[in-house]
Amino acid sequence: MAAPRHDKPMLPGDTLGAAGLRAGEEPRRDGRAGPLPLPARGIPRGKASSQMDALSGMTTQSEQITEQLRQMLLEGAFEPGSHLQEIALASRLEVSRTPVRLALAALAQEGLLVYKPQRGFLVRAFSLGEIIDAIRVRGELEAMACRLIAERTEPPAEVHRALSENVAAMAGLLTGGRIPTEGRMAFLDLNTAFHEAILEASGNDTLVTLSRQIANIPMAGPAGVGPVVQRLEGVEEVFEASVREHSAIVNALVARESIRAQAQMREHLYGLGESVRLYLERVRGARGHGARPFLRLISGF
């Protein structure tokens, strides 16, 4: 989910019929003095509209390709240091080169790729330290989100109810002992939804944007850490601890205890970072980890 956008404020004199405009002219909306130039002669407005629609469609397609390539990178489809070529990717994804070029630039901006002159876009590798640092920074951001929610002048009853229902659904999957694979996936989806809801309810767009950027780092976001969590020893105990901690966070939010809610979330994600660190240290150098492609972007695996 993208962070909400806000319309830009109107500029002074930014209305139709402003003084000094000739018939058929429109006021500028780019902050410059004077009227906007009239459409070029010979180009009907319908054609200009079609061109804008085509541009919008290209943007949407490039966003789709960006998301597809992002998932491929995080799932280990490419080796670190490998060169991602526009023509090969366009052929593989069955699209033109333009949306692929835009997607590669966007992924480089996110930090998943590195651009080098004369070489192009290369797949980046991450160190274990970078991943743990990202999870801890995420913990601080989500802790801040909890504090902001608890400090609202009017308690967000709908948010409290949604979070409580989410925790109840997670707890419901734990009844009956071991969790089958499909149950684990459902649990992880609920976990992702819980953390996303906390961010959205914070009302702080900058916080949400920064959290989205961190989630693009392998295993740092709530969705990206799923493959590791499923492989932790005693995964059912890990899930039970997660339910308890989520429940404690919700209780603190409902009680409007901002400091406690903040501390609960910080501790929750600090513990996650430690679990990820221990898992990665344990499998580093172990036989068979090559069968886990999601580890490819981590240096030393």
Side-chain angles (χ1 to χ4, degrees):
M1 295 180 289
R5 298 177 180 175
H6 303 283
D7 294 334
K8 295 181 179 179
M10 299 290 285
L11 296 171
D14 195 11
T15 57
L16 291 174
L21 297 181
R22 298 189 302 273
E25 292 179 338
E26 298 177 359
R28 302 193 72 99
R29 296 181 182 273
D30 54 8
R32 299 180 186 176
L36 284 169
L38 292 170
R41 293 184 179 181
I43 302 179
R45 288 184 180 273
K47 185 173 182 180
S49 178
S50 298
Q51 292 172 344
M52 291 300 294
D53 290 342
L55 180 60
S56 176
M58 180 63 72
T59 300
T60 300
Q61 187 180 41
S62 81
E63 290 173 349
Q64 293 172 346
I65 298 301
T66 300
E67 177 60 24
Q68 189 172 354
L69 286 175
R70 183 187 295 114
Q71 290 304 313
M72 292 171 69
L73 284 162
L74 294 177
E75 291 169 2
F78 307 102
E79 293 288 344
S82 59
H83 178 202
L84 297 189
Q85 299 178 327
E86 283 182 23
I87 296 177
L89 286 174
S91 175
R92 180 173 177 175
L93 301 176
E94 299 182 342
V95 295
S96 66
R97 294 176 60 181
T98 300
V100 171
R101 184 182 309 118
L102 295 173
L104 292 175
L107 293 170
Q109 187 71 23
E110 292 178 6
L112 284 173
L113 301 178
V114 177
Y115 178 77
K116 291 186 177 295
Q118 309 304 322
R119 296 189 63 189
F121 295 96
L122 307 178
V123 179
R124 177 187 170 186
F126 293 82
S127 69
L128 174 57
E130 287 175 317
I131 293 171
I132 302 306
D133 286 346
I135 294 175
R136 290 176 178 171
V137 172
R138 176 190 156 204
E140 293 299 321
L141 291 173
E142 292 196 27
M144 179 181 175
C146 286
R147 178 175 60 79
L148 292 174
I149 295 170
E151 290 177 350
R152 281 190 179 182
T153 304
E154 296 182 4
E158 292 185 2
V159 173
H160 294 163
R161 182 167 56 254
L163 292 175
S164 296
E165 291 174 354
N166 177 285
V167 173
M170 294 175 77
L173 292 172
L174 292 172
T175 58
R178 299 187 63 82
I179 307 177
T181 301
E182 59 273 17
R184 295 182 183 185
M185 294 304 298
F187 189 98
L188 292 170
D189 287 343
L190 286 169
N191 177 73
T192 298
F194 180 89
H195 288 276
E196 291 283 350
I198 292 285
L199 292 172
E200 292 292 344
S202 72
N204 187 309
D205 294 349
T206 301
L207 186 153
V208 174
T209 299
L210 292 174
S211 296
R212 296 282 184 273
Q213 292 175 352
I214 288 175
N216 291 326
I217 297 175
M219 303 181 201
V225 78
V228 171
V229 172
Q230 291 193 72
R231 290 168 171 81
L232 294 176
E233 294 181 3
V235 65
E236 283 80 11
E237 288 76 9
V238 173
F239 283 173
E240 289 174 354
S242 182
V243 169
R244 288 194 302 271
E245 292 166 10
H246 282 200
S247 181
I249 291 167
V250 174
N251 290 340
L253 291 175
V254 172
R256 304 185 68 186
E257 297 179 0
S258 60
I259 301 303
R260 183 161 70 96
Q262 179 177 259
Q264 292 280 6
M265 179 61 83
R266 181 183 292 117
E267 182 177 354
H268 172 59
L269 289 177
Y270 181 86
L272 172 65
E274 285 301 292
S275 295
V276 170
R277 181 181 64 78
L278 292 172
Y279 170 80
L280 294 177
E281 288 179 347
R282 179 170 59 83
V283 300
R284 189 195 297 271
R287 293 182 179 180
H289 71 67
R292 302 165 187 167
F294 67 91
L295 296 177
R296 285 182 181 169
L297 293 187
I298 307 175
S299 300
F301 285 84

